[in-house]
Amino acid sequence: MASLTAVEIRTELAPHPVDAPRTALTIGAYDGVHAGHRQVIAQVRGLAAERSMTSAVVTFDRHPASVVRPESAPLLLTDPQQKLEQLATTGVDLTMVVPFDEDRAMESADEFVRHVLVGCMGAGLVVVGEDFHFGYQRQGNVALLRELGEELGFEVLGLSLVGLGGQPARDHEQVSSTFIRRALSRGDLERANAMLGRPYEIRGPVGGGDRRGRELGFPTANVRVDPATLLPEDGVYAGWYERPDGSVHATAISLGTRPHFYDDGARLLEAHLLDANPTDASDPGDGGPDLYGEEARVRFVAHLRGQRTFDGVDALVDQLHRDVADTRSTLA
């Protein structure tokens, strides 16, 4: 896991002190805090240092689409806490978390710049992608930022979107949250992780299970995932499970509907820890660590196989043994 740096996090919009340094900032939803985001932030930090400014990311307490168009809002790559943790690894001085509600959604681009970027952030430099849009009905763009910058005294730098190599890229080669979601949804974990710059991580509490895994000799932690979080394509994965105490365990991950046992279509995320014998959450006391109720962090390293049905329990157990062996070799 990347190390955290000291970063100031603000959640209250207050006037920028007149005697404080001006700010070089970038703005966006920053879902995923992927490799493209990090390149933008690295430029912001470098330019801020050259100009003796404070480097900052302006983001939101929720994805704006969840307010503006909730029926088609994207599933999230990072929850709010994950996003802040990942931003803290970039070395940026300040993260401003702007509350986004219906009133904010109705705010014009001009008002947002004057109130938030200039009034609260003291913007001296704004760095965004050339395709950046903001404000009511997305009417704000880079051209408007430049116009307002001339009036209000800040510079604007519009950047081309880049590919994995950090160079300007054609549309289908760009690093973006949208393309990461598409890659995960089709099971292309390798490409998704490359764009993220780290293994995809899902968090959630461990809930009670039906003890099927324990009966088969493969006890699992059943991780309850927020419905707003994007799940990768169904299948079996090699990965890591981090407990609240910071211990990390090699893990075979099963994601899917378990068609051998059920036909209700419910998707489950089950993690079998290879180097521990986790107590089944519904029946503690078998000698392994009791995972029930704890917050799990499950990292997806490699896709091993798709979900499938089996002729019987013996065939399923044989495959589970192979999955464990494949997980060990993949993570070795």
Side-chain angles (χ1 to χ4, degrees), residues 224-240:
R224 305 295 173 83
V225 182
D226 189 317
T229 298
L230 178 70
L231 289 171
E233 182 182 53
D234 288 356
V236 175
Y237 297 81
W240 302 100

Side-chain angles (χ1 to χ4, degrees), residues 31-47:
D31 184 31
V33 193
H34 53 62
H37 291 148
R38 290 175 180 274
Q39 291 180 35
V40 173
I41 294 171
Q43 291 202 45
V44 169
R45 291 181 62 215
L47 292 167

Side-chain angles (χ1 to χ4, degrees), residues 97-113:
V97 183
V98 177
F100 198 96
D101 53 19
E102 292 185 359
D103 288 340
R104 182 73 60 196
M106 297 295 291
E107 186 177 45
S108 72
D110 184 285
E111 290 172 326
F112 182 83
V113 171

Side-chain angles (χ1 to χ4, degrees), residues 19-207:
D19 57 346
R22 300 188 72 183
T23 305
L25 63 86
T26 181
I27 178 173
Y30 272 85
D31 184 31
V33 193
H34 53 62
H37 291 148
R38 290 175 180 274
Q39 291 180 35
V40 173
I41 294 171
Q43 291 202 45
V44 169
R45 291 181 62 215
L47 292 167
E50 291 176 5
R51 292 162 169 76
S52 298
M53 293 180 177
T54 299
S55 63
V57 172
V58 177
T59 189
F60 304 99
D61 65 350
R62 69 204 71 190
H63 199 292
S66 69
V67 176
V68 177
R69 47 180 178 85
E71 72 287 347
S72 59
L75 295 175
L76 298 179
L77 302 172
T78 48
D79 64 30
Q81 182 60 36
Q82 282 177 277
K83 180 166 71 170
L84 291 178
E85 290 176 8
Q86 288 299 322
L87 287 172
T89 69
T90 67
V92 69
D93 296 321
L94 167 66
T95 296
M96 178 71 233
V97 183
V98 177
F100 198 96
D101 53 19
E102 292 185 359
D103 288 340
R104 182 73 60 196
M106 297 295 291
E107 186 177 45
S108 72
D110 184 285
E111 290 172 326
F112 182 83
V113 171
R114 294 178 187 275
H115 175 211
V116 177
L117 300 190
V118 176
C120 298
M121 297 300 297
L125 172 65
V126 177
V127 181
V128 293
E130 281 286 2
D131 64 344
F132 178 66
H133 289 79
F134 67 104
Y136 177 63
Q137 295 185 338
R138 292 169 53 84
Q139 293 178 355
N141 53 26
V142 173
L144 177 63
L145 279 173
R146 290 187 171 126
E147 179 183 325
L148 291 171
E150 290 181 3
E151 175 189 346
L152 301 172
F154 60 84
E155 298 177 66
V156 177
L157 177 60
L159 302 176
S160 300
L161 293 181
V162 298
L164 289 173
Q167 301 299 317
R170 293 174 294 180
D171 287 350
H172 67 284
E173 297 173 334
Q174 293 169 354
V175 177
S176 73
S177 300
T178 297
F179 288 163
I180 292 170
R181 293 186 191 98
R182 291 177 183 173
L184 289 170
S185 296
R186 66 172 182 263
D188 190 352
L189 185 66
E190 182 177 3
R191 179 164 178 78
N193 285 351
M195 288 190 283
L196 281 167
R198 64 184 187 278
Y200 185 55
E201 178 179 293
I202 289 178
R203 300 179 180 182
V206 177

